[in-house]
Amino acid sequence: MDELEARARRQLDKLSDVNERLSGIRVSETSPDGEVTAEVDGNGALVDLTFSDRLSRLSGKQVSQLVIATANVACQKAFTERARILQEFTEEFAGLVAPPGTGHNHSAAEGAEG
C-alpha cells in the first residue's frame, strides 16, 4: 500500500510540475527591424506588444503585417517549447504509470525510492 501511495504521489507531482512549466511559457520575439516586440504565452495568446518610436513611419497595413509576422514567430517558438515539455513529460510519466516489473526504466532517484 505504501508503494502504491508513493507512486500516486510521484504521478501527481509530475502532473503538477508539467502544468506549472506549461503555464510558465513566455516567448518574446522582436521583428528583424526592431520595430515590434510580441510576447506570447504557451497557448499562443498575445500577452504583450511593444512598438518602437520609429514605427510611425510605417503605414497601418505595414504595421499590422509586422505585428502578425512577429507574433507568428513567437507562437511557433512557444509551441516548440510546449511540445518539448510535453514530450519530456510523456516519456517520464510512462514510467510512473507502468505497473511495477514491466521493464519501464525509472530514474535513479525513483529506483532508490522503490
Side-chain angles (χ1 to χ4, degrees), residues 7 11 90-99 102 104-106 110:
R7 286 185 70 209
Q11 291 169 355
T90 301
E91 292 169 2
E92 292 173 8
F93 200 73
L96 292 176
V97 297
T102 59
H104 281 82
N105 293 333
H106 296 280
E110 291 170 354

Side-chain angles (χ1 to χ4, degrees), residues 65-86:
Q65 290 173 339
L66 194 56
V67 168
I68 291 168
T70 304
N72 186 42
V73 172
C75 285
Q76 290 172 6
K77 290 180 178 181
F79 293 154
T80 297
E81 177 66 7
R82 183 179 181 87
R84 185 188 63 76
I85 290 170
L86 288 172

